[in-house]
Amino acid sequence: MHDPVDEQALIQRAIDDPDAFQELYTRYVRRVYSYVASRIGHRQDAEDVVSEVFLRVIKNLDQLRQRQQTSFAAWLFVIARHAIADHYRKNGHSEEYISLDVAELCAPAEKQPDHLLSHNEESAYLYSLILTLPERKREIITLRFYGGLRNQEIAKVLGIGEKTVSAYLSRAVNDLQEKCHAAQSARGQIRDE
Amino acid sequence: MRHNLPGGKSEMNEQPNHDSEQKMQTMTDFETKLRASAPEPREGFEAELAQHLRQEFVQRRQARQVLRAIPSRRYGRLSARVAVALIAVLTIGIGVVIAMNTIFQQFVDYDAGLKAIYEQGLGHEIGISQTHDGYTVTLEWAYADGNRLTLAYVIQGHSEVQYTNLSSDRYTLVLRDTGAEIPFMQGMTGAWIDNSGEFVGLNPDHEIPTGDRSLLVLTYDLSGIETGDRTTLDLHLEVGVYGITLQRRTQMPIEQFNEMKEGPEGFFAFDFSIDLTTERRVFDTQLAATDQDITLRLREVNIAPSQTRVVICFAPPDPARQWTAIPSLTTTQGEVSGGGGVRPFMDGDETCQDYTYFAGMFDYTGEWRLEISELVGFGSGGGSDQQRIPGSWVFEFVVP
């Protein structure tokens, strides 16, 4: 997490200095990509949306300067949410769609390879579990663990209370952990059989 | 088997704390795994995008620097350095800069939504001109989103002639493919620029300000126009122009204002295309509030980058009157300024009010509060024939 004072100074410089803007971009691009890609299952579309997000940042960064109480991260992810919504409106999708590789990973446990999941496979499996969460929980989980936002920032992005965010987050993480354990147990039982 | 630890505590008493720590560690490990599950971009994506963004950044900042080179001054002469910048700008064909920067900077303060658009560089510089009978109209700039279309054009009269008025009496705008006319919403006339490119304020030699060019900024209502999935609007604009010279203005009585007008026959026609900014947040709601036995419904909140609109409907307390509601719209940032009027319409038996706020609220995600403090019903007997019903109808909501 970056020093807020340092970040404010960077934002001020980034309004007119391309090198400062690049530093700001470097700090956040991967987080934005992870969040956007988790909401848009198609890689090319996710790249297009991420590009649009940062173009909007370039256009509007000096407007942020006037809003001294606003966290840059919260502001950035509000832009990201809007860009995702615009993407769905333009492309006529009413629901998010999951790319084929993730759908394959959602296969039942008995169809998984009969050995312990490697780190990458475990990550992919967790990712697929996140996609099965209800909308609100999924949004909060991805903003927190992919976007790297604090609860207060998530609250600002979603326009809800911070306590609500905490409650949702706690339940969502518990849900995921239980599903993971259930899947591991099922795998263990299948192996035993 | 129990083991007594030093200090007399049994291991079993220690067990719950150990379990809590274990649980916390397990949770932390799990959260670490969640973070690690984040999708990652392909190799090279970040560098490619960085390069593309740098180009975009530099281009935008360069454009903005050209505009900032010309200060907005109401009185006095421009410095030689700035005058040179003006000439350079004219040479490369950005004639919009003279009108746009000096006058827009003064007039966008009246329209927070337009200011947000202009400062973000979201509009289009057009710069096409036509000349008839010594009058020149230059279509300079335009912007369109789901709620509004705003355009700006400069009218220039005969050279060497001082005018007190250069304006339009016709400004019809239609979509070329359907012929649908886009309703006019509001307009403002900017101030003057003289033939050396200077912004002219009050002329100490005359009581009436004079110049040879004026800027007009007009806003049209796009909300009721079916734009489908268009991302570009093909438009046809017809502009009628008149001028009033200083000579006529000072020599004829003011009651003959219309007779003072002179100008080219016919109108100036422009065919042009602009991108439609499709970003819009629409909140369809059935929130209701009741007071004084009257129920008001908040039907829709519609937020575009340059404009926010709110629609309220209610059964008229007295159907023989024309009713309007007095609103106050606030957010956590304060009152939403830029109230741009209200369009009443009937929906079945209900009277509805479509309120417009020229404010840049698109990125606001907090709470809104709309309060209606009074209903006013106008009778057929004129302005004083009013029935007023004070009350408090409050709607609190968040726009997704």
Side-chain angles (χ1 to χ4, degrees):
Chain A
M1 206 67 71
H2 298 289
D3 176 2
V5 174
D6 166 60
E7 183 152 283
Q8 277 302 318
L10 179 61
I11 291 166
Q12 291 288 334
R13 292 197 336 261
I15 291 169
D16 291 310
D17 179 358
D19 292 331
F21 179 82
Q22 177 139 358
E23 186 181 336
L24 197 62
Y25 160 83
T26 302
R27 288 187 183 190
Y28 284 96
V29 62
R30 192 160 281 229
R31 289 162 61 177
V32 171
Y33 179 89
S34 296
Y35 170 68
V36 169
S38 72
R39 304 294 307 280
I40 298 177
H42 190 265
R43 186 189 292 279
Q44 183 60 57
D45 288 348
E47 290 182 359
D48 290 345
V49 171
V50 171
S51 175
E52 177 61 27
V53 168
F54 283 97
L55 284 173
R56 294 183 189 184
V57 170
I58 288 174
K59 286 178 194 172
N60 299 326
L61 193 56
D62 56 351
Q63 200 182 23
L64 178 65
R65 173 174 53 186
Q66 297 162 17
R67 307 186 199 171
Q68 295 186 1
Q69 302 301 320
T70 302
S71 139
F72 175 79
W75 180 75
L76 176 64
F77 280 85
V78 166
I79 293 176
R81 286 188 85 226
H82 290 170
I84 291 168
D86 290 341
H87 167 78
Y88 284 119
R89 267 197 293 274
K90 270 185 212 167
N91 290 281
H93 293 290
S94 58
E95 293 177 2
E96 297 168 16
Y97 56 99
I98 301 172
S99 65
L100 189 57
D101 53 340
V102 174
E104 288 171 345
L105 290 166
C106 290
E110 63 267 23
K111 292 188 179 175
Q112 295 288 348
D114 189 22
H115 57 75
L116 289 174
L117 288 174
S118 68
H119 172 73
N120 283 342
E121 287 169 329
E122 183 181 35
S123 293
Y125 182 62
L126 279 172
Y127 175 60
S128 70
L129 282 184
I130 288 172
L131 297 183
T132 64
L133 288 174
E135 169 68 24
R136 182 61 93 187
K137 285 183 184 173
R138 177 159 38 112
E139 179 102 63
I140 290 175
I141 284 279
T142 51
L143 283 170
R144 174 60 180 266
F145 293 104
Y146 295 172
L149 297 187
R150 298 189 302 263
N151 286 5
Q152 186 184 37
E153 291 167 335
I154 295 172
K156 282 195 179 144
V157 171
L158 299 181
I160 59 178
E162 196 175 333
K163 287 184 182 172
T164 307
V165 171
S166 297
Y168 268 108
L169 194 60
S170 173
R171 274 181 247 142
V173 172
N174 283 338
D175 286 351
L176 289 171
Q177 206 165 19
E178 283 171 11
K179 285 182 182 178
C180 245
H181 288 158
Q184 284 169 354
S185 298
R187 185 172 290 105
Q189 286 172 358
I190 291 167
R191 212 173 287 119
D192 289 343
E193 287 168 5
Chain B
M1 180 180 289
R2 279 190 193 184
H3 298 274
N4 284 332
L5 297 172
K9 292 182 183 177
S10 74
E11 188 174 284
M12 286 201 58
N13 288 341
E14 288 293 317
Q15 196 67 24
N17 288 341
H18 176 71
D19 278 349
S20 294
E21 285 173 10
Q22 185 71 23
K23 191 174 178 183
M24 280 183 63
Q25 185 61 40
T26 304
M27 182 61 74
T28 303
D29 288 344
F30 186 69
E31 289 180 356
T32 301
K33 288 178 184 176
L34 281 176
R35 283 193 196 90
S37 72
E40 292 183 355
R42 62 173 168 84
E43 193 176 331
F45 167 69
E46 292 172 55
E48 286 168 20
L49 180 56
Q51 193 177 15
H52 170 63
L53 290 174
R54 178 173 276 262
Q55 287 171 359
E56 189 70 28
F57 184 101
V58 168
Q59 280 173 10
R60 283 185 176 272
R61 294 309 183 260
Q62 280 176 349
R64 205 174 277 182
Q65 282 167 7
V66 169
L67 291 175
R68 284 188 184 145
I70 304 162
S72 159
R73 295 185 193 178
R74 193 164 177 81
Y75 303 106
R77 304 187 66 84
L78 293 169
S79 69
R81 180 172 61 84
V82 175
V84 167
L86 267 175
I87 293 166
V89 157
L90 280 174
T91 302
I92 60 177
I94 310 181
V96 65
V97 172
I98 298 175
M100 297 306 294
N101 190 66
T102 56
I103 300 173
F104 244 53
Q105 282 187 3
Q106 296 210 15
F107 285 89
V108 291
D109 283 341
Y110 291 99
D111 185 330
L114 194 61
K115 182 175 182 176
I117 295 308
Y118 179 64
E119 290 180 344
Q120 293 166 43
L122 290 180
H124 296 265
E125 293 173 5
I126 302 175
I128 49 177
S129 295
Q130 291 186 32
T131 301
H132 295 297
D133 296 339
Y135 289 80
T136 299
V137 175
T138 303
L139 181 58
E140 301 276 21
W141 181 92
Y143 165 82
D145 62 25
N147 281 350
R148 75 189 277 185
L149 187 156
T150 295
L151 52 86
Y153 56 86
V154 171
I155 301 173
Q156 184 174 2
H158 292 264
S159 58
E160 310 302 326
V161 175
Q162 283 184 302
Y163 292 88
T164 62
N165 300 75
L166 278 167
S167 191
S168 281
D169 49 12
R170 178 183 179 150
Y171 27 80
T172 308
L173 185 67
V174 301
L175 283 173
R176 288 211 303 272
D177 53 359
T178 62
E181 183 171 343
I182 304 173
F184 174 74
M185 184 183 274
Q186 74 168 31
M188 56 181 172
T189 302
W192 301 90
I193 311 161
D194 69 18
N195 56 10
S196 61
E198 291 189 27
F199 179 91
V200 177
L202 289 175
N203 186 331
D205 296 330
H206 302 283
E207 292 179 359
I208 305 166
T210 61
D212 73 345
R213 266 169 282 183
S214 72
L215 171 74
L216 277 75
V217 180
L218 307 177
T219 292
Y220 297 79
D221 182 359
L222 263 185
S223 66
I225 300 294
E226 182 53 58
T227 55
D229 57 357
R230 288 185 184 88
T231 55
T232 302
L233 296 181
D234 299 319
L235 300 160
H236 176 76
L237 173 69
E238 291 178 355
V239 174
V241 162
Y242 68 85
I244 295 178
T245 63
L246 178 63
Q247 185 181 25
R248 282 191 162 206
R249 179 70 177 83
T250 53
Q251 290 179 357
M252 294 172 67
I254 192 62
E255 293 77 18
Q256 294 180 350
F257 184 82
N258 284 330
E259 285 77 15
M260 298 178 195
K261 296 178 182 177
E262 57 187 52
E265 295 287 330
F267 51 83
F268 297 75
F270 296 89
D271 288 338
F272 63 104
S273 299
I274 58 172
D275 290 340
L276 174 65
T277 298
T278 55
E279 299 163 318
R280 194 156 41 154
R281 295 163 60 197
V282 181
F283 178 43
D284 291 320
T285 167
Q286 289 298 323
L287 290 174
T290 301
D291 195 11
Q292 309 300 319
D293 290 326
I294 301 169
T295 297
L296 271 59
R297 290 188 302 115
L298 175 62
R299 178 182 290 185
E300 181 182 291
V301 180
N302 182 323
I303 306 175
S306 68
Q307 198 182 76
T308 293
R309 300 173 78 135
V310 171
V311 179
I312 296 169
C313 298
F314 55 97
D318 178 357
R321 293 179 177 273
Q322 303 291 324
W323 288 90
T324 190
I326 310 299
S328 169
L329 183 63
T330 57
T331 68
T332 56
Q333 298 168 352
E335 183 156 10
V336 178
S337 59
V342 56
R343 179 179 67 90
F345 62 96
M346 293 299 296
D347 185 10
D349 294 333
E350 287 194 319
T351 185
C352 295
Q353 318 276 304
D354 182 346
Y355 298 97
T356 296
Y357 294 85
F358 293 117
M361 301 297 295
F362 192 72
D363 290 326
Y364 177 74
T365 57
E367 288 185 358
W368 297 72
R369 177 186 165 92
L370 174 69
E371 180 171 6
I372 305 298
S373 57
E374 192 173 24
L375 301 179
V376 183
F378 294 91
S380 55
S384 59
D385 180 11
Q386 298 176 13
Q387 179 185 354
R388 305 185 82 96
I389 304 176
S392 178
W393 296 266
V394 177
F395 304 90
E396 291 176 327
F397 52 93
V398 172
V399 177

